[in-house]
Amino acid sequence: MRNLVCIIAVGALSLATAGAAAQDKPLLGIVSISATEANNVRYIEGATKAADELGWKTNVVDAAGSADQANASIQNFAQLKAHAIIDMVFPYSSIGAGLAAAGDAGIPVVTWGGGLGSTVAATNGSGGPMAIPVVDLMVEKMGGKGSILALTYRTGEVCRNREVVMDEIVAKHPDITVTKNEVRIPGYFEDGAQYANAWLASHPAGKENLAIWGCWDDPAIGAIGSLRAQGRDDVLVYGINGNAQALENIKNGFMTATAWQDSFTEGYNMVKMLKDIKDAGGAWQAKAAEVPAVLVTKETADAFLKDHPEAIK
């Protein structure tokens, strides 16, 4: 029988109920920064499939962008004597209390995009490498000059690393000006649209090369709504993660490029690695095990979707 995946608010985590479930099967606790965001959903699906195959029970907590809630959730899973815990996106440096509780209980913690440090046993989904092909293409298409609206999110390690990559690449082009606005979780679609509206007002068409960059797809998709409402087709738009909505926007000519992240495979591989981590015990050596991203543009979208039809499901 397939396991039931429960996405629950951190305050509603029932220690008694989950504890009883953990007695039946090993409990895998997953703490997501945004469990309804498309890329997070794919990762959770991959992790759940692997957990099913291993005979583990999966509980998912949506921390809604709050590091405090993430720490509380990891501590709760430690109290439940979870078999293992996955932190999704929160940087290891912001979940110290949770890592301490898990460490005291002898429970391995791995991260998706949260980095490798402290007592983290493994990581994948690191943000920096995925940004490189997108930012390189953006700068190339701008001819090394113009203005960029960067939609950032500094609570998450993934977006912080992607922003660093963007800064490093753009710094080589002094004729490019960058305006940064940080979006919220939740609220990234709305923030992307509002920041784009304000930025467009001071960046009229025909004056310079213009681009909007989201540290993941969704804020950039929010900005596309503003561009379409204003009839602005002079601004190139870039995202990262390659969710279904971004791929549709690329096919329709509203987004210029994204880097598709195979988060399903990342989730699946990480849970299989957790078994290895548990089996190895104290002999395990912490490591990163990345799955390469794929750059998708309008020119390559059809071929990409032929190879990866699951990307728009």
Side-chain angles (χ1 to χ4, degrees):
M1 179 181 296
R2 290 183 61 82
N3 291 327
L4 174 65
V5 182
C6 302
I7 298 177
I8 48 183
V10 63
L13 179 60
S14 168
L15 299 184
T17 301
Q23 292 175 6
D24 298 331
K25 296 180 179 181
L27 173 64
L28 173 63
I30 301 177
V31 180
S32 171
I33 198 167
S34 176
T36 58
E37 187 274 329
N39 215 33
N40 281 246
V41 169
R42 293 200 305 269
Y43 184 96
I44 292 166
E45 289 173 346
T48 301
K49 178 175 173 58
D52 280 344
E53 294 174 1
L54 294 170
W56 297 359
K57 165 74 178 179
T58 305
N59 274 353
V60 180
V61 175
D62 188 343
S66 168
D68 288 341
Q69 290 190 13
N71 274 295
S73 300
I74 295 170
Q75 289 170 319
N76 282 341
F77 282 129
Q79 291 175 22
L80 294 172
K81 303 187 186 305
H83 197 57
I85 299 170
I86 299 176
D87 155 55
M88 296 178 63
V89 180
F90 290 101
Y92 71 84
S93 58
S94 72
I95 54 168
L99 288 173
D104 289 344
I107 301 167
V109 178
V110 296
T111 73
W112 178 56
L116 195 63
S118 184
T119 58
V120 171
T123 193
N124 64 11
S126 299
M130 293 185 183
I132 294 171
V134 172
V135 179
D136 279 345
L137 180 64
M138 177 172 64
V139 169
E140 177 187 338
K141 285 189 171 290
M142 293 179 73
K145 57 185 177 181
S147 293
I148 297 170
L149 170 63
L151 301 170
T152 66
Y153 179 73
R154 298 191 181 102
T155 299
E157 181 80 2
V158 168
C159 268
R160 287 211 307 245
N161 291 342
R162 291 173 180 176
E163 183 180 349
V164 168
V165 166
M166 185 201 65
D167 288 344
E168 290 173 347
I169 293 173
V170 172
K172 301 173 185 177
H173 302 275
D175 291 330
I176 293 179
T177 301
V178 179
T179 300
K180 294 183 179 182
N181 290 122
E182 186 171 5
V183 301
R184 300 165 297 166
I185 293 180
Y188 39 80
F189 287 117
E190 296 84 356
D191 286 350
Q194 290 176 9
Y195 289 135
N197 276 330
W199 183 78
L200 288 170
S202 59
H203 293 80
K207 299 293 185 181
E208 58 180 334
N209 299 323
L210 299 173
I212 295 176
W213 176 83
C215 71
W216 83 102
D217 290 322
D218 291 342
I221 291 168
I224 287 171
S226 295
L227 291 171
R228 296 183 67 183
Q230 296 189 31
R232 294 286 296 269
D233 60 3
D234 59 303
V235 182
L236 303 183
V237 181
Y238 300 85
I240 304 172
N241 288 356
N243 69 37
Q245 196 172 356
L247 295 171
E248 286 295 331
N249 273 287
I250 287 174
K251 282 178 61 66
N252 293 328
F254 301 123
M255 181 178 278
T256 309
T258 188
W260 180 68
Q261 181 176 7
D262 188 359
S263 53
F264 181 95
T265 297
E266 289 171 336
Y268 182 91
N269 288 356
M270 183 57 76
V271 173
K272 292 299 178 122
M273 190 183 299
L274 272 168
K275 182 181 185 304
D276 296 337
I277 292 168
K278 294 288 291 187
D279 291 345
W284 177 260
Q285 297 293 315
K287 66 178 181 179
E290 306 294 351
V291 177
V294 179
L295 182 68
V296 183
T297 66
K298 187 173 178 61
E299 292 74 23
T300 64
D302 288 339
F304 168 80
L305 291 171
K306 183 178 179 180
D307 292 339
H308 300 281
E310 73 279 7
I312 56 173
K313 293 181 180 178

